[in-house]
Amino acid sequence: VLMFPEGTRSRSGDLAELKPGLGFVAVKSGASIVPISVVGTNHLLDCLVRRRKLVVRIGAPIRMGGNRIAENPKEEYRILAGMVRNAIRMLRDEPEV
């Protein structure tokens, strides 16, 4: 399942806060989250006509333990969303090869 955890596309290309629903779905389903960074979508038309590059980077899966009982589940969902955001930010900051 593909999710857009920001809730909307960023027109500026900046990474916005991720919605905690991402963490909710991952914890409840037991699914891993694979962070993906797509840079250049704010110039998508230029990418389609090959004037600019669309850079896609895929990170290592992130998984929360499935048999955990959290004291504050909502906070856990926010923490997981923050972990994913940091992983995406690191992918975006990687130099081009």
Side-chain angles (χ1 to χ4, degrees):
V1 174
L2 174 66
M3 294 181 74
F4 296 93
E6 293 172 283
T8 187
R9 192 174 128 230
S10 170
R11 299 270 180 210
S12 66
D14 296 331
L15 184 60
E17 287 295 320
L18 304 187
K19 305 291 185 185
L22 167 73
F24 172 80
V25 171
V27 169
K28 293 297 182 182
S29 69
S32 296
I33 299 172
V34 178
I36 299 174
S37 170
V38 182
V39 178
T41 58
N42 52 331
H43 300 286
L44 196 53
L45 184 59
D46 288 339
C47 293
L48 292 174
V49 294
R50 297 182 185 208
R51 290 187 191 142
R52 290 182 187 238
K53 287 183 180 179
L54 186 66
V55 180
V56 179
R57 294 188 178 115
I58 302 171
I62 299 171
R63 184 177 185 111
M64 295 289 276
N67 296 332
R68 300 167 34 125
I69 298 175
E71 288 183 31
N72 186 348
K74 289 183 180 183
E75 183 61 25
E76 186 170 274
Y77 305 150
R78 280 191 284 278
I79 290 169
L80 183 54
M83 290 170 56
V84 173
R85 186 172 192 266
N86 289 338
I88 293 171
R89 185 179 291 142
M90 287 173 40
L91 290 169
R92 290 175 61 106
D93 293 342
E94 283 182 7
E96 281 194 48
V97 180

